[in-house]
Amino acid sequence: MSQLRGNKERIIKTATKLFIENGYEKTSIQDILDDLGDITKGSIYHHFESKEDIFNAVALEIGGNNKILFNDVRDDVKLTGVEKLRSILLCSVNSKNTSQLINMTPNYFENPKFLIAMLNQIQEVSIPQYILPIIEMGIEDETIQTKSPNELAELIMILLNLWINPLLFGGTECSLKVKCDMINNILKQYGFILFDEEIMSNIAQYK
């Protein structure tokens, strides 16, 4: 049993390396096998149904590393709700994990299943575990003004994960700044802005 678990971990580790180096589309099951050297194709298919399944496992592990950072921000009693929103965004932008995911993620338009998986992650994890609780904290400490915290959480996540996602809309550094300014203008009616100068200077790397 321990050997099987060890093989699964090795497959994920090797796939992560190859996905980062070559991208999802240019990495095959055979490439993963060749890099591992001593694991058979049958062993891979014992743990994973497909290359897509391997990618999902890789993304889940990388996302788990981000969750550790996000938990610390959400639970920091010294920060206001708005400060927590900005800190989570800054953690995400600066995280090596985020950069890795962007580099390895396949084209959403050619692989819509991955876009659906991202949307499910937003609905099932990001909003209920982080964004919504933080907005509710902001309402309590009066740094966020809204009577519709659920809808505000959804709006923020749609704007951040879809509209300014370089894998969906691309764009230049200038257009990205325009979008961030527009998001700030939208959020001013709720008593805060999301993108300060520090976040703006860091987010430009994903243009």
Side-chain angles (χ1 to χ4, degrees):
M1 183 65 71
S2 61
Q3 182 178 358
L4 287 175
R5 185 181 301 111
N7 284 345
K8 183 176 182 179
E9 291 172 353
R10 287 182 62 207
I11 293 167
I12 292 173
K13 183 177 180 180
T14 297
T16 300
K17 181 188 74 169
L18 293 177
F19 287 157
I20 291 171
E21 290 175 354
N22 306 319
Y24 175 83
E25 285 94 346
K26 294 182 179 180
T27 300
S28 66
I29 292 288
Q30 189 60 50
D31 291 330
I32 297 171
L33 282 169
D34 291 343
D35 198 275
L36 286 165
D38 60 346
I39 290 181
T40 66
K41 184 173 290 188
S43 179
I44 283 187
Y45 284 112
H46 173 79
H47 296 290
F48 304 100
E49 294 181 358
S50 62
K51 187 175 76 165
E52 177 185 319
D53 196 24
I54 297 175
F55 178 86
N56 289 334
V58 169
L60 187 64
E61 182 156 311
I62 292 175
N65 294 331
N66 266 349
K67 286 182 69 174
I68 296 173
L69 299 174
F70 296 163
N71 287 341
D72 289 341
V73 172
R74 181 196 59 202
D75 300 334
D76 190 339
V77 296
K78 300 186 297 295
L79 299 178
T80 66
V82 165
E83 288 170 341
K84 290 180 180 184
L85 282 180
R86 292 190 189 123
S87 293
I88 278 197
L89 178 55
L90 191 58
C91 281
S92 181
V93 168
N94 289 338
S95 172
K96 180 182 178 182
N97 302 322
T98 301
S99 176
Q100 289 177 340
L101 274 175
I102 289 176
N103 289 338
M104 72 171 69
T105 298
N107 186 296
Y108 283 134
F109 297 103
E110 296 177 3
N111 302 272
K113 286 183 179 180
F114 292 103
L115 178 58
I116 293 171
M118 180 186 72
L119 294 173
N120 285 336
Q121 176 77 7
I122 291 171
Q123 289 185 313
E124 296 172 6
V125 178
S126 301
I127 290 177
Q129 294 186 21
Y130 300 102
I131 305 305
L132 180 57
I134 289 174
I135 288 175
E136 290 172 339
M137 294 173 198
I139 294 172
E140 185 174 347
D141 64 32
E142 299 183 345
T143 57
I144 298 175
Q145 288 86 50
T146 182
K147 295 180 180 179
S148 306
N150 287 284
E151 290 74 16
L152 180 57
E154 291 173 0
L155 173 65
I156 289 172
M157 294 307 292
I158 288 171
L159 292 172
L160 294 185
N161 288 277
L162 297 179
W163 196 41
I164 65 171
N165 187 332
L167 298 177
L168 286 171
F169 288 95
T172 64
E173 182 176 347
C174 181
S175 66
L176 180 61
K177 185 179 186 307
V178 170
K179 289 182 179 182
C180 291
D181 286 339
M182 291 180 73
I183 291 173
N184 276 344
N185 287 331
I186 291 170
L187 295 178
K188 280 180 183 178
Q189 64 185 298
Y190 302 106
F192 69 100
I193 62 170
L194 191 55
F195 297 97
D196 57 19
E197 289 301 320
E198 181 180 10
I199 294 173
M200 285 294 298
S201 64
N202 282 274
I203 204 172
Q205 66 183 298
Y206 295 117
K207 64 182 182 297

